[in-house]
Amino acid sequence: MPSKINHIGIAVPDIERAAEFYTKHLGLRLGGVEEVADQKVKVAFLPIGEVRLELVQPTSPESPVARFLEKNGPGFHHIAYQVDDVAAEVERLKVEGVRMVDQAPRTGAHNTRIAFVHPKASGGVLTELVQEMGEE
Ligand code: ZN
């Protein structure tokens, strides 16, 4: 079961431009930008308390985030819950009949393993499970 909220994902067309509001006007600190090839996105984290905002920018028109932006415009994209064992959580949810986007965990940003739950299963909110694998 999730232990806390790990981050909140916000889809944006341009990380640097979107980050300006959060750094200039909310005083958050922008971490390094990292590319997640798997998802065809660039991501940047802005920590606040125990949680982080994750700005997500597509790097290709085929990215699921590019399709999201086309359909919805920039804005709230997903909520990510921290779990100890993402593979076990995916198996548990599948057994419980929860509709998954990912049938198995895959590689996320910053040395994590992640899996997405389908928004149809979670009140319309794209839901990410994230397991931190520790420092590389
Ligand atoms: Zn995320």
Side-chain angles (χ1 to χ4, degrees):
M1 301 282 177
S3 52
K4 64 175 188 176
I5 291 175
N6 181 278
H7 64 268
I8 296 164
I10 301 170
V12 299
D14 182 325
I15 284 178
E16 278 74 23
R17 282 188 61 182
E20 234 182 80
F21 167 77
Y22 296 99
T23 56
K24 239 190 196 168
H25 302 291
L26 295 188
L28 303 187
R29 187 181 49 78
L30 181 67
V33 177
E34 182 181 339
E35 196 150 345
V36 184
D38 210 40
Q39 280 286 315
K40 301 187 174 71
V41 294
K42 292 198 298 188
V43 304
F45 286 105
L46 298 108
I48 176 157
E50 280 216 326
V51 181
R52 295 171 298 167
L53 300 182
E54 179 189 42
L55 300 179
V56 189
Q57 173 191 332
T59 54
S60 149
E62 286 104 67
S63 165
V65 178
R67 291 197 294 272
F68 176 92
L69 284 172
E70 238 167 67
K71 203 171 150 203
N72 307 287
F76 173 70
H77 183 255
H78 66 275
I79 191 159
Y81 296 92
Q82 189 157 320
V83 298
D84 290 335
D85 183 344
V86 68
E89 289 297 312
V90 168
E91 286 316 307
R92 181 178 65 79
L93 292 169
K94 281 160 67 177
V95 166
E96 292 174 6
V98 173
R99 184 167 165 193
M100 302 296 294
V101 172
D102 296 312
Q103 302 307 313
R106 53 196 166 82
T107 303
H110 297 308
N111 198 26
T112 57
R113 298 289 291 163
I114 63 167
F116 282 97
V117 177
H118 198 281
K120 286 234 159 79
S122 48
V125 175
L126 180 61
T127 298
E128 177 182 352
L129 304 173
V130 54
Q131 177 183 358
E132 297 193 330
M133 307 304 282
E135 299 303 311
E136 273 165 283

